[in-house]
Amino acid sequence: MNRLTVHVEVPDLAGGEGARRVAGVLDDLETICVALKAGGEEQAVSEFSFSIGEAAALSRACLSGDRRALTTPGLARILSASVAVLFRVAHHAGAFRHGDLDERDAGHDDDRQQAGRDEDPGD
């Protein structure tokens, strides 16, 4: 039995009632595991695992347009699990703003409510 250091748990839409799919980083801090947890169960059954390095290499190959990489079996689940888990790690590390974003602010400097060079900040 492996423990997940950081994990993301979502409903398994294809499974039975209460089934959950779990993706997380194992204690070795190098391996992401995707597992299925039946409704009411505490332990999950591993479906597949891969190293973070493998996911990074696959991501780079896909971004570059490598046709073989784009046909990798399970590509969507590998990349989805990677994004979900690494987002959780980055969020916990404080890499993102906390709270809701103002709908007027998409994070770009030109979206910010600030005075331009020719404007009076009091306007």
Side-chain angles (χ1 to χ4, degrees), residues 61-75:
C62 288
L63 282 173
S64 74
D66 181 327
R67 291 189 183 276
R68 278 192 355 201
L70 292 169
T71 62
T72 300
L75 175 64

Side-chain angles (χ1 to χ4, degrees), residues 2-93:
N2 290 317
R3 292 188 51 83
L4 298 175
T5 302
V6 175
H7 75 279
V8 176
E9 191 169 318
V10 298
D12 178 30
L13 300 178
E17 186 174 327
R20 311 285 292 168
R21 178 144 292 112
V22 181
V25 179
L26 297 179
D27 287 339
D28 66 4
L29 301 178
E30 293 180 15
T31 306
I32 293 178
C33 179
V34 175
L36 185 62
K37 187 189 292 187
E41 294 293 319
E42 287 298 315
Q43 292 188 0
V45 176
S46 177
E47 294 180 311
F48 65 97
S49 61
F50 53 91
S51 76
I52 292 172
E54 291 169 333
L58 184 57
S59 295
R60 285 191 301 272
C62 288
L63 282 173
S64 74
D66 181 327
R67 291 189 183 276
R68 278 192 355 201
L70 292 169
T71 62
T72 300
L75 175 64
R77 293 186 68 203
I78 292 168
L79 296 181
S80 296
S82 300
V83 168
V85 169
L86 296 175
F87 177 83
R88 175 68 53 96
V89 169
H91 186 274
H92 282 299

Side-chain angles (χ1 to χ4, degrees), residues 102-115:
D102 183 326
E103 67 257 6
R104 294 170 295 170
D105 182 4
H108 302 286
D109 285 338
D110 60 346
D111 291 339
R112 307 251 159 108
Q113 300 264 329
Q114 60 188 4

